[in-house]
Amino acid sequence: MVTYPRIPGHEIGATIEELGAEARGKFKVGTSVTVSPYTNCGKCAACRRNRPNACRFNQTLGVQRDGAMAEYIAVPWQKLYASDRLSLGQLALVEPLTVGFHAVERGRVTADDTVAVFGCGAIGLGVIAGAAFRGATVIAVDIDDAKLALARKAGAEHTVNSAGGALHDRLAELTGDGPDVAIEAVGLPETYRAAVAEVAFTGRVVCIGYAKESVEYETHLFVQKELDILGSRNALGDFADVIKMLEADRFPMEDLVTTEVLLAEAGEALRTWDQHPLAFTKILVKLD
């Protein structure tokens, strides 16, 4: 979805330097904030249904329009979320976690549910934390033991390394009938298929990851299990909940950032990430 040239940056921790007339009295100069990076048209089908996160004409900072990797940006005050407890680096982690929280909301997760999360990258960790925040039993699935260890810190009660091929047996052992909710946060054909295959009858499957290849399904499972298959895009009112969770020290923020670099070093950090993607969870770019 990215067009070039493009200034990146949609996961933001910033300080208010100046306020427009409408924002005075609502925020103060010097306040630390994060930013909801999405736009919405207010007229399309999604907006009319009060789901502006899925606006047909959305333009996300750093994707379809220039982002926040700059000295100054101007944003509508309605897009700001403040915290007097979180650092700028911590505030920059809010947005990716909200994407996971929104997927949990889409899956209608409750404390009675067992939730299998496929993928323990930054988005998957947000799913894990969001489901655990609601009291659900969370099973994290990945092929990287280090990421699975981080998933436990984020709230997963069980972890499964699926590289050994024992995914089905392990999920059956843990759940009996399969998880009530399966959330795909990888974007691979095999994890998309596994979510459908492993979820319980009448379960919910939530899809976040963008698969770069076509995905072939045994579609009889959709009907036989009478599944709810749901997409999840961006976030809605999840920013306040994530900030509340982080302020309560219920997420291992210090473990999410793999490395911190200055702006001048960002290009090389991105090249290294591109060559070794499994070695990174998040790269924090410091602008000051």
Side-chain angles (χ1 to χ4, degrees):
M1 292 181 291
V2 179
T3 57
Y4 294 99
R6 180 65 61 229
I7 298 171
H10 70 280
E11 301 170 357
I12 303 161
T15 303
I16 296 176
E17 293 288 342
E18 187 175 330
L19 292 167
E22 290 186 9
R24 292 174 191 142
K26 299 177 177 68
F27 293 94
K28 296 180 180 179
V29 171
T31 300
S32 296
V33 295
T34 189
V35 180
S36 174
Y38 322 119
T39 65
N40 62 283
C41 71
K43 299 177 181 179
C44 72
C47 290
R48 293 197 306 270
R49 294 185 180 112
N50 200 30
R51 290 164 65 180
N53 59 299
C55 174
R56 179 180 175 186
F57 303 105
N58 169 69
Q59 290 189 332
T60 299
L61 284 168
V63 184
Q64 296 96 344
R65 59 189 175 126
D66 284 342
M69 205 171 287
E71 187 175 5
Y72 295 102
I73 59 170
V75 299
W77 65 266
Q78 296 91 337
K79 300 290 185 180
L80 299 181
Y81 295 85
S83 173
D84 58 6
R85 291 192 54 193
L86 301 180
S87 69
L88 294 183
Q90 291 168 334
L91 283 165
L93 300 178
V94 170
E95 192 276 340
L97 296 176
T98 66
V99 175
F101 267 56
H102 182 65
V104 169
E105 173 66 23
R106 289 285 288 151
R108 307 188 300 276
V109 171
T110 72
D112 296 326
D113 288 324
T114 297
V115 181
V117 181
F118 291 82
C120 299
I123 301 302
L125 292 171
V127 175
I128 291 164
F133 197 57
R134 292 184 175 214
T137 299
V138 182
I139 304 169
V141 180
D142 205 290
I143 60 172
D144 186 318
D145 285 333
K147 289 186 176 180
L148 289 170
L150 183 53
R152 283 191 176 273
K153 291 184 179 182
E157 187 170 331
H158 308 285
T159 57
V160 179
N161 189 321
S162 59
L167 175 63
H168 175 76
D169 291 344
R170 183 63 175 141
L171 288 179
E173 177 186 334
L174 291 170
T175 66
D177 291 330
D180 304 291
V181 185
I183 301 182
E184 201 287 336
V186 182
L188 292 174
E190 52 264 42
T191 48
Y192 263 87
R193 285 191 290 267
V196 169
E198 300 300 340
V199 74
F201 276 60
T202 68
R204 285 97 71 196
V205 176
V206 183
C207 306
I208 312 174
Y210 279 90
K212 295 181 180 180
E213 309 167 45
S214 297
V215 182
E216 294 185 0
Y217 284 107
E218 294 290 342
T219 55
H220 74 274
L221 294 176
F222 298 179
V223 179
Q224 185 180 15
K225 291 185 175 184
E226 197 175 62
L227 300 178
D228 292 352
I229 299 179
L230 304 151
S232 182
R233 183 183 180 191
N234 299 332
L236 275 170
D238 308 279
F239 285 80
D241 287 339
V242 171
I243 288 172
K244 184 187 302 183
M245 177 190 71
L246 296 181
E247 289 181 339
D249 296 323
R250 294 183 58 178
F251 187 84
M253 289 182 285
E254 67 283 354
D255 295 316
L256 188 59
V257 176
T258 306
T259 186
E260 296 183 12
V261 298
L262 299 175
L263 180 59
E265 303 164 331
E268 184 57 36
L270 287 171
R271 278 187 287 273
T272 304
W273 165 68
D274 185 51
Q275 294 164 3
H276 308 284
L278 295 180
F280 294 89
T281 302
K282 279 291 170 190
I283 299 170
L284 180 68
V285 179
K286 301 182 73 171
L287 293 166
D288 56 9

